[in-house]
Amino acid sequence: MKKQILTFCVIAFAYFSCSKEHISIQKSSYNISIKAVGNDAATDSSSSWAQVLGGNATITFDAKYPSDTMTVSSVTHTIDLGKLSTYQWKLFAGKYDITLATADDAVVSPYVRFSASKTGVDINTDGVIGMDVDASDGVITIKRTLLDTTVSPTFKPTGAAVANLSNANGYAYLYVKGSTSGQLVFTSTEGDVYKADITVVAKSQFDASLKTNSKGQVVIQSYPFHPKTNVQ
């Protein structure tokens, strides 16, 4: 089942003008902006993890249902998801298929990768349009309170280079393509080295912790991505 991990909105602010000196009415156009109105934890009750947005993405407004007010069939932009709230575009009224997808195709990333789409969107009035977002990543996390912060945790995907985990939300973390296997290595606050073999599944959090009273052994808890509402 497709999980919704983020919600995006397309907000249209309409304006138009006409001239008494001409019979025809000037074409209506709209300023289109996108705003992230939701964020996700892995589960509402068991995890405090929130997804990290950033990196480049492409957004396309594709006029699949042209009308006599439309003069272009498709508009594509590259955007920085870290500056999502600052973007705005002008489109003529009509129906569009809208797609939004991250551009990074590496095995690992400091930002969540995803795609989103909405078909037959009628751009002719003010409104909010929700888009279902499908993640292609899972994420490995370790609470920073467990770590020797002078030694960076690493994950080595099979057949790829070793990657250092990044830091956010009180965790060391790394996004990994779904179905990727590899070895996680980190050092505890007591100076003990821990290792764990993990196969990362898309749309899931893999949270590593220390096995009680057993040096060097790791417990991995897995949580599916799950929407957490009312987070701006």
Side-chain angles (χ1 to χ4, degrees), residues 136-140 174-178 200-204 206 225:
S136 55
D137 285 336
V139 64
I140 298 170
L174 188 68
Y175 286 102
V176 183
K177 274 188 176 182
V200 178
V201 177
K203 296 186 280 288
S204 295
F206 291 81
F225 288 170

Side-chain angles (χ1 to χ4, degrees), residues 21-51:
E21 299 176 2
H22 297 85
I23 296 176
S24 62
I25 298 176
Q26 185 175 336
K27 297 173 183 176
S28 298
S29 60
Y30 297 82
N31 293 320
I32 305 300
S33 61
I34 297 178
K35 180 183 179 184
V37 297
N39 206 342
D40 275 345
T43 63
D44 287 328
S45 61
S46 302
S47 174
S48 59
W49 176 251
Q51 308 293 1

